[in-house]
Amino acid sequence: MSLEIGQPVADFSASATGNTTVTLSELRGKQVVIYFYPKASTPGCTTEGGDFRDRKSAFDAANTVILGVSRDGLRAQENFKAKQGFNFALISDKDETVCAHFDVIKLKKMYGKEHLGIERSTFLIDADGKLANEWRGVKVPGHVDEVLAAAQALNANR
């Protein structure tokens, strides 16, 4: 399934930290940043999550909810969130339903071996539930600032 800028993002529900379920359609009226990261508690993912955490008030001011997604189980996500003081929900996508929804499972190489894993990606969904922006193959430094600027611009144009 391919997502296209300007097209509605199909609804989904997924288990998240805090013993909650996130349902995309219930977030209508707010912009949503969904960022996919390969694995909880690894260096790049910790840095990226910290960058989102540190800018959460600016995202809030831009009417934007932050959601992090990986294939880790809920316990790993809860531990990651607690240890890093993340102030947003992390989704556990062990069955890769949400990952498939956004087509972020890619063939990757590590130490010369190929495996399927999450390609670090971020999606910005507008308040009407349409895809406004996407970043694939993300490099962590400076990324969150770029996403924040896009969220602020989108909110300003409402």
Side-chain angles (χ1 to χ4, degrees), residues 9 12 24 32-36 65-69 91 98 102 121-125:
V9 176
F12 66 85
L24 186 61
V32 181
V33 164
I34 302 177
Y35 79 97
F36 291 84
V65 175
I66 302 165
L67 298 172
V69 183
I91 291 173
V98 182
F102 288 88
S121 305
T122 303
F123 300 87
L124 175 59
I125 301 167

Side-chain angles (χ1 to χ4, degrees), residues 51-108:
D51 289 347
F52 276 111
R53 174 198 63 217
D54 296 346
R55 290 166 186 76
K56 184 173 184 296
S57 61
F59 278 101
D60 288 347
N63 191 38
T64 305
V65 175
I66 302 165
L67 298 172
V69 183
S70 77
R71 299 184 301 178
D72 295 290
L74 270 177
R75 180 180 289 151
Q77 297 288 47
E78 291 286 3
N79 291 342
F80 187 35
K81 180 177 177 175
K83 185 175 180 187
Q84 300 303 327
F86 292 159
N87 44 13
F88 51 86
L90 297 178
I91 291 173
S92 169
D93 192 31
K94 281 180 86 89
D95 65 2
E96 299 179 3
T97 306
V98 182
C99 289
H101 206 70
F102 288 88
D103 190 29
V104 297
I105 300 293
K106 303 292 181 191
L107 194 60
K108 300 169 80 174

